[in-house]
Amino acid sequence: MSRELTPQEAAERSLIKKYRKELWNPFIAAVKRYELIAPGDRIAVCISGGKDSMVLAKLMQELQRHTEQPFELVFLVMDPGYAPANRALIEENAARLGIPITVFRSDIFDVAYQVEKNPCYLCARMRRGFLYSKAQELGCNKIALGHHLSDVLETTLLGLFYGAQLQTMPPKLRSRNFPGMELIRPLYCVHEDAIIAWKNYNGLRFLQCACRFTEERDGAADGVGESKRQEMKLLLRELKKTNPNIEKSMFRAIHGVQLDTFPGFKFRGRAFAFPEAYNLRGASSAEDEAAL
């Protein structure tokens, strides 16, 4: 008679068995496609306490366990001012899932609450800086965040609809303020629905953002409140009803941007207006003209 699996063992097995196609395979695909991890890396996996960062931590543990190219992991939790019950939930989930977390404190929530315009943007930037600093202090050369495919697409729509720009969230980037540090997003090819399914299958309850602004959104009758990102999430959900492949199409589109068709673009912070961009392109081929 086989023994009953512990919650940790069940969660780990479901990652590479039941949800192999939805979680493990796209996670590995992102790591390889975007060259996110190299032998000898020391990576700080940043855990907010939510479902995304927790599943990232477990996937990174599994990869470390099975890879032939060794790398080190630190599981970093920043407490930006959580209520005691919320911090306790993070610690309980980490223990339940076998994630050895390192916790440090900051006053980000207190600062963000004082700002009326774009408090979430300020909070995100401050979090990033604190995480880079602590990770570097612990000898890490990379931080890993739990942004997934759905975040990527929502960010693309936000930029188009509200930022007047065509841009998206890259799978990795170098830090400007912390030389030698990189940010990686190993869940880049993982859909949020798969993370939710894994969470529910294992009967797990994770922390939400746990700040006043999120509580206002959750209490709004339309489910959006002041969150434009939530608005994009709901928009994509509606569009999928008539076009089930819309997210796949968008994801492919950001990998195949046709700069030759744009009247202007930016590269490395420099803007190229139409006349300069036009001259750089030179003469178009008959095939190009036919396509346009």
Side-chain angles (χ1 to χ4, degrees):
M1 183 177 178
S2 60
R3 68 177 179 83
E4 184 178 352
L5 297 177
T6 67
Q8 177 183 338
E9 291 170 335
E12 291 169 351
R13 176 172 292 189
S14 62
L15 282 177
I16 58 176
K17 295 290 186 180
K18 183 174 179 62
Y19 294 102
R20 186 177 190 88
K21 181 180 178 181
E22 296 86 358
L23 287 173
W24 179 254
N25 288 350
F27 163 72
I28 293 298
V31 169
K32 290 181 177 179
R33 181 177 188 177
Y34 307 117
E35 300 179 350
L36 301 183
I37 299 174
D41 278 345
R42 183 172 169 84
I43 303 169
V45 181
C46 301
I47 298 175
S48 66
K51 65 184 189 324
D52 307 327
S53 59
M54 284 293 192
V55 79
L56 172 63
K58 293 309 299 178
L59 287 166
M60 294 291 281
Q61 280 184 323
E62 287 299 310
L63 178 59
Q64 185 185 45
R65 187 175 297 136
H66 293 102
T67 188
E68 295 179 357
Q69 299 181 324
F71 60 90
E72 297 180 66
L73 293 175
V74 174
F75 299 96
L76 199 56
V77 175
M78 181 186 63
D79 179 349
Y82 291 134
N86 290 331
R87 171 151 173 176
L89 179 60
I90 296 175
E91 293 170 341
E92 289 165 9
N93 279 328
R96 178 186 178 94
L97 293 171
I99 304 171
I101 58 175
T102 298
V103 184
F104 71 101
R105 187 79 162 76
S106 74
D107 61 352
I108 289 177
F109 278 179
D110 291 339
V111 174
Y113 284 164
Q114 308 303 316
V115 178
E116 293 185 5
K117 187 176 181 180
N118 297 326
C120 294
Y121 175 76
L122 174 64
C123 181
R125 285 188 62 86
M126 291 180 66
R127 280 173 180 259
R128 190 80 53 84
F130 274 102
L131 289 168
Y132 268 129
S133 180
K134 188 64 176 182
Q136 195 169 56
E137 177 188 319
L138 295 174
C140 299
N141 65 310
K142 293 177 180 178
I143 64 172
L145 301 186
H147 296 127
H148 44 65
L149 184 149
S150 304
D151 290 322
V152 174
L153 301 184
E154 290 157 17
T155 297
T156 305
L157 290 179
L158 279 170
L160 178 61
F161 294 159
Y162 291 105
Q165 53 193 351
L166 283 172
Q167 66 170 24
T168 193
M169 181 183 287
K172 66 178 179 181
L173 55 88
R174 297 183 181 90
S175 172
R176 294 180 179 179
N177 299 321
F178 296 86
M181 295 290 293
E182 269 189 310
L183 180 156
I184 61 173
R185 296 184 169 107
L187 299 183
Y188 203 81
C189 299
V190 176
H191 198 286
E192 184 179 24
D193 287 350
I195 299 172
I196 294 172
W198 173 83
K199 172 184 74 75
N200 293 339
Y201 176 79
N202 288 284
L204 298 168
R205 183 177 69 89
F206 294 121
L207 190 67
Q208 298 297 325
C209 179
C211 76
R212 171 167 55 85
F213 304 104
T214 302
E215 290 170 356
E216 290 174 356
R217 183 203 72 199
D218 292 342
D222 59 2
V224 177
E226 298 180 2
S227 171
K228 295 303 180 185
R229 179 169 294 277
Q230 188 72 4
E231 181 183 322
M232 297 301 100
K233 189 183 297 291
L234 296 177
L235 173 62
L236 281 170
R237 191 178 300 166
E238 284 299 310
L239 292 172
K240 282 176 68 176
K241 292 178 180 179
T242 54
N243 182 1
N245 293 316
I246 191 168
E247 291 173 320
K248 291 181 180 179
S249 181
M250 287 181 63
F251 195 63
R252 289 174 181 168
I254 65 173
H255 287 79
V257 176
Q258 302 293 318
L259 286 182
D260 285 352
T261 68
F262 281 78
F265 59 87
K266 284 185 177 180
F267 182 68
R268 293 183 177 174
R270 181 190 169 192
F272 291 80
F274 180 75
E276 184 179 9
Y278 185 77
N279 291 331
L280 284 173
R281 290 167 188 150
S284 60
S285 67
E287 290 83 1
D288 293 335
E289 293 174 354
L292 297 175

